């Protein structure tokens, strides 16, 4: 639940990565999934890097037939609705977190291993729901769905489960003590929903709609107002931006997750969409280790205070303060360090900051970035739509000013945060690189050679520390690093070709001679190719073969 109706509530859903897959046509989803995984997970080889303590190399073989999938998914909560593909993992029902259940690695998993492919149970959300707080419009959408009864039946097993809700409220009526988290996530949340008179009116209309549509509970009883509330909480606690998934809901949250979720491909002029998401490991996962996602989209560029508030509002659990994050101090990916402001962990809160003069530096920086991102998206869309005409020079001026503003914001933010590795500097630098790429791609004729060289020099001054930040926070096998390695290589190549003297003047680490610069350019290209090889996205080729 967001505090601002103008925000898109689905920005809170899930750690979903954009996909670069091109699909040429459709085919049977399960067959496509098995073909894809046979290619990517069989004989997968992984070589460690300096940041890991694993052995120098690791290989695994995991092949799964259709019959094997049926057997392995029979113990999942929805045996009648298995995922398209379940990798070398199993559902552990004795975990301490996540309601006692979650996926666990069945064997050692190298980075890039695909662990789940699933079609959404509910594909996307209603137009009425978009850009608003997640509310009863979504339940109305479900009850009007062609497959509404099946969906409602499946949702019985998602948190908070119907039996659990009934047990909790029966305990409250009996005056019995209940779990603290149950009170927060079930009792308090449902009570807060019903404080709004308009909500109560919609709630009653949905009970009547369910009766009119013949939607009932698995035991044959009619849906009640409490069950309407439960369905809404189910969507809030389990939904992703791309829709509602059953088996993806079994992933637990972690601030340092070892998996990412790719969203389904969207339709465009060049591509035909495919309707499934996949999860892949982003680092070496030991046998028996729980598999985790981050419940916030793109969490690697959001401050701790903001993440804490959004996750509390959306999922009603607390990611914690400094005491919780201290466990990451000795991790190869020291995410604790990336949160420090002036050498101290931020005094984050779940409450809104009402006085801007008292707002922490991270809040002010994020507000500035939000404003600049709106400007960037407007300029980007204008260039894409080719609507510039005589106004191109004015949009060039705006983009050039935006680039310089972002450079100044990086300097000011670094000073305010006193931490060159702070997570928000990743967002600053990434946006700075995006604006420069936009200018060089669309306005090269407006730039002199000297201006282009200086812009590329500023590009390298952002890309090099960004890469170091990503490696420290996510590890060297994360797909984020692949794009940054590519950008680094392209920047070095450009200045080697047009102004090697300017490149050397930057005095970047391990790039003090032209020979070192050339070696770094080659290393970045090799690393980009290596990481991309861990995350094969060639569905188009597989689809064409299985048709």
């Amino acid at each position: 639940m967001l505090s601002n109706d103008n925000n898109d509530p689905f920005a809170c859903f899930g750690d979903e990565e954009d996909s670069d897959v091109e699909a040429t046509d459709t085919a049977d989803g399960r067959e496509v999934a098995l073909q894809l995984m046979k290619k990517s997970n069989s004989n997968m080889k992984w070589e460690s890097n300096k940041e890991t303590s694993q052995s120098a190399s690791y290989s695994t073989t995991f092949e799964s037939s259709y019959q094997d999938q049926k057997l392995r998914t029979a113990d999942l909560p929805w045996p009648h609705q298995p995922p398209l593909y379940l990798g070398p993992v199993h559902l552990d029902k004795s975990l301490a977190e996540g309601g006692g259940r979650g996926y666990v690695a069945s064997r050692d998993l190298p980075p890039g291993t695909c662990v789940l492919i699933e079609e959404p149970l509910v594909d996307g959300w209603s137009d009425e729901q978009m850009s608003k707080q997640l509310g009863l419009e979504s339940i109305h959408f479900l009850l009007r769905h062609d497959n509404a009864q099946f969906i409602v039946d499946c949702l019985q097993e998602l948190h908070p489960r119907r039996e659990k809700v009934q047990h909790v409220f029966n305990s409250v009526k009996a005056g019995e003590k209940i779990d603290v988290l149950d009170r927060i996530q079930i009792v308090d949340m449902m009570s807060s929903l019903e404080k709004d008179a308009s909500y109560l009116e919609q709630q009653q209309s949905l009970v009547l709609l369910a009766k009119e549509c013949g939607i009932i509970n698995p035991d044959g009883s009619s849906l009640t107002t409490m069950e309407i509330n439960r369905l809404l909480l189910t969507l809030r606690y389990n939904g992703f931006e791309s829709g509602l998934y059953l088996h993806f809901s079994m992933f637990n949250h972690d601030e340092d997750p070892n998996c990412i979720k790719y969203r389904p491909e969207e339709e465009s002029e060049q591509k035909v969409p495919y309707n499934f998401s996949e999860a892949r490991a982003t680092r070496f996962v030991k046998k028996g280790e729980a598999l985790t996602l981050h419940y916030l989209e793109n969490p690697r560029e959001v401050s701790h205070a903001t993440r804490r508030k959004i996750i509390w509002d959306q999922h009603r659990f607390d990611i914690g303060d400094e005491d919780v994050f201290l466990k990451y101090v000795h991790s190869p990916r020291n995410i604790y360090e990336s949160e420090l402001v002036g050498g101290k962990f931020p005094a984050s809160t779940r409450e809104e900051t009402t006085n801007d003069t008292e707002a922490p530096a991270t809040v002010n920086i994020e507000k500035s970035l939000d404003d600049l991102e709106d400007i960037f998206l407007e300029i980007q869309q204008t260039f894409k739509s080719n609507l510039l005409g005589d106004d191109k020079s004015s949009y060039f001026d705006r983009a050039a000013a935006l680039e310089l503003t972002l450079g100044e914001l990086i300097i000011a933010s670094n000073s305010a945060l006193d931490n060159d590795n702070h997570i928000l500097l990743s967002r600053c630098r990434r946006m700075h690189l995006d604006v420069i790429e936009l200018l060089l791609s669309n306005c090269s004729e407006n730039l002199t050679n000297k201006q282009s060289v200086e812009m590329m020099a500023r590009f390298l001054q952002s890309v090099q520390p960004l890469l170091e930040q990503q490696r420290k926070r996510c590890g060297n096998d994360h797909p984020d690093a692949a794009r940054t390695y590519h950008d680094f290589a392209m920047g070095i190549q450009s200045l080697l070709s047009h102004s090697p003297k300017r490149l050397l003047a930057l005095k970047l680490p391990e790039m003090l001679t032209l020979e070192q610069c050339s070696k770094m350019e080659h290393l970045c290209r090799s690393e980009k190719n290596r990481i991309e090889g861990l995350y094969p996205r060639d569905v188009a080729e597989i689809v064409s073969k299985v048709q």
Side-chain angles (χ1 to χ4, degrees):
M1 181 172 61
L2 297 178
S3 59
N4 187 341
D5 284 357
N6 293 324
N7 288 332
D8 183 351
F10 306 105
C12 302
F13 282 155
D15 182 15
E16 299 193 282
E17 300 291 323
D18 288 327
S19 167
D20 295 325
V21 184
E22 294 190 8
T24 56
D25 215 329
T26 58
D28 178 73
R30 188 172 301 282
E31 182 64 23
V32 172
L34 293 178
Q35 291 288 339
L36 175 62
M37 293 310 100
K38 183 176 182 180
K39 183 173 183 177
S40 65
N41 280 1
S42 297
N43 301 314
M44 177 179 284
K45 294 183 179 180
W46 173 71
E47 295 183 1
S48 66
N49 53 60
K50 296 178 182 179
E51 286 71 37
T52 69
S53 59
Q54 307 300 331
S55 56
S57 63
Y58 177 86
S59 62
T60 183
T61 299
F62 180 78
E63 297 189 16
S64 184
S65 66
Y66 180 78
Q67 289 300 322
D68 173 59
Q69 286 286 305
K70 288 179 65 176
L71 292 173
R72 297 182 62 248
T73 59
D75 291 334
L76 296 180
W78 306 274
H80 57 290
Q81 184 73 4
L84 294 175
Y85 171 83
L86 185 68
V89 302
H90 65 274
L91 186 64
D92 191 326
K93 299 181 181 179
S94 61
L95 296 179
E97 65 278 350
R101 59 182 182 176
Y103 289 121
V104 172
S106 299
R107 61 185 68 192
D108 291 347
L109 307 179
T113 302
C114 186
V115 294
L116 179 67
I117 302 179
E118 182 183 7
E119 292 179 304
L121 178 68
V122 180
D123 185 9
W125 308 89
S126 67
D127 293 338
E128 292 79 10
Q129 181 61 79
M130 299 307 293
S131 300
K132 296 170 59 179
Q133 287 187 0
L134 188 60
L136 292 178
E137 295 91 342
S138 56
I139 307 302
H140 186 275
F141 176 67
L142 290 186
L143 295 178
R144 287 292 189 185
H145 197 281
D146 292 341
N147 209 17
Q149 184 62 65
F150 181 74
I151 293 170
V152 170
D153 289 345
C154 288
L155 295 187
Q156 304 298 319
E157 283 296 323
L158 283 182
H159 175 69
R161 285 176 279 184
R162 180 170 178 255
E163 292 180 357
K164 177 74 169 180
V165 171
Q166 291 175 334
H167 172 73
V168 167
F169 276 97
N170 287 338
S171 298
V172 170
K173 289 179 181 178
E176 300 172 357
K177 186 177 180 180
I178 63 172
D179 181 78
V180 173
L181 196 58
D182 288 340
R183 179 171 295 280
I184 292 171
Q185 293 190 339
I186 299 175
V187 179
D188 292 350
M189 275 295 282
M190 287 191 178
S191 297
S192 67
L193 291 174
E194 296 188 340
K195 290 181 179 179
D196 186 347
S198 63
Y199 179 91
L200 293 174
E201 184 177 344
Q202 293 181 67
Q203 183 190 58
Q204 290 291 341
S205 68
L206 289 174
V207 170
L208 295 175
L209 176 62
K211 186 174 182 179
E212 174 188 328
C213 296
I215 309 301
I216 57 176
N217 290 309
D219 61 6
S221 62
S222 299
L223 267 63
T224 65
T225 55
M226 180 182 293
E227 280 144 7
I228 295 297
N229 289 341
R230 188 195 70 82
L231 288 174
L232 179 57
L233 294 187
T234 296
L235 299 187
R236 287 184 175 177
Y237 294 161
N238 298 280
F240 286 87
E241 184 179 4
S242 57
L244 184 66
Y245 299 77
L246 295 176
H247 301 281
F248 269 105
S249 68
M250 295 295 101
F251 279 91
N252 287 321
H253 171 88
D254 199 298
E255 284 296 294
D256 184 27
N258 52 30
C259 293
I260 55 172
K261 175 184 180 295
Y262 287 94
R263 74 184 73 201
E265 183 60 70
E266 295 180 357
E267 188 171 6
S268 66
E269 293 180 2
Q270 295 82 22
K271 301 176 183 179
V272 176
Y274 62 85
N275 193 33
F276 56 80
S277 284
E278 58 182 285
R280 289 181 180 272
T282 57
R283 62 174 184 264
F284 187 93
V285 181
K286 294 181 180 179
K287 179 180 179 180
E289 183 180 348
L291 300 177
T292 56
L293 292 171
H294 199 289
Y295 286 177
L296 182 64
E297 186 174 10
N298 200 13
R300 299 174 295 280
E301 296 182 355
V302 181
S303 72
H304 172 263
T306 300
R307 296 198 313 276
R308 190 180 187 189
K309 174 172 173 45
I310 292 176
I311 290 176
W312 174 261
D313 287 347
Q314 183 72 26
H315 298 281
R316 272 302 188 268
F317 66 83
D318 192 355
I319 63 173
D321 52 19
E322 184 174 17
D323 290 340
V324 175
F325 274 69
L326 280 171
K327 69 180 181 180
Y328 298 110
V329 168
H330 302 296
S331 168
R333 297 158 307 283
N334 190 349
I335 69 172
Y336 175 83
E337 180 186 3
S338 66
E339 306 290 354
L340 299 179
V341 178
K344 298 180 180 180
F345 198 83
S348 56
T349 176
R350 298 193 301 254
E351 303 300 323
E352 287 276 13
T353 302
T354 56
N355 189 339
D356 288 342
T357 62
E358 298 178 359
T362 56
V363 174
N364 294 327
I365 293 169
E366 284 180 311
K367 286 181 178 179
S368 298
L369 283 167
D370 288 342
D371 292 340
L372 294 176
E373 186 169 18
D374 288 341
I375 296 172
F376 170 70
L377 292 174
E378 178 190 347
I379 297 172
Q380 183 185 53
Q381 186 57 44
T382 304
F383 281 124
K384 282 183 178 180
S385 58
N386 296 316
L387 296 177
L388 293 171
D390 295 336
D391 294 331
K392 185 168 185 178
S393 60
S394 65
Y395 276 93
F396 164 75
D397 291 341
R398 290 186 67 191
L402 178 60
E403 187 265 318
L404 294 176
T405 300
L406 281 163
E408 293 171 357
L409 180 61
I410 291 172
I411 296 172
S413 299
N414 201 343
S415 176
L417 299 167
D418 192 22
N419 180 2
D420 192 46
N421 291 312
H422 194 277
I423 189 171
L424 286 185
L425 286 172
S426 291
R427 185 179 173 190
C428 291
R429 288 164 174 151
R430 183 73 265 168
M431 195 185 306
H432 187 221
L433 299 179
D434 289 342
V435 174
I436 292 177
E437 289 180 5
L438 185 71
L439 279 164
L440 294 175
S441 299
N442 296 277
C443 304
S444 57
E445 69 275 12
N446 297 82
L447 297 166
T448 66
N449 288 336
K450 183 177 181 180
Q451 286 175 324
S452 296
V453 166
E454 288 304 313
M455 191 173 290
M456 188 52 67
R458 295 194 293 272
F459 185 90
L460 284 176
Q461 288 173 312
S462 281
V463 75
Q464 190 272 334
L466 173 62
L467 179 60
E468 290 306 307
Q469 283 184 270
Q470 290 173 337
R471 294 177 66 205
K472 283 185 177 182
R473 188 171 180 95
C474 306
N476 202 44
D477 299 312
H478 197 281
D480 281 2
R483 178 187 174 186
T484 310
Y485 271 120
H486 172 74
D487 289 344
F488 202 2
M490 296 298 291
I492 297 171
Q493 181 190 48
S494 177
L495 284 189
L496 277 174
S497 301
H498 296 95
S499 184
K501 183 178 180 180
R502 185 69 182 93
L503 176 59
L504 293 178
L506 294 174
K507 296 183 179 181
L508 296 175
E510 301 182 41
M511 294 176 59
L512 302 181
T513 68
L514 291 179
E515 181 181 5
Q516 287 181 332
C517 292
S518 181
K519 286 183 178 180
M520 183 62 72
E521 188 262 346
H522 176 73
L523 172 65
C524 289
R525 290 188 185 278
S526 298
E527 282 296 277
K528 177 254 185 184
N529 292 333
R530 179 188 68 82
I531 297 170
E532 286 187 344
L534 297 175
Y535 303 90
R537 311 288 296 154
D538 48 359
V539 175
E541 176 186 351
I542 295 168
V543 170
S544 63
K545 287 183 177 179
V546 300
Q547 284 185 308

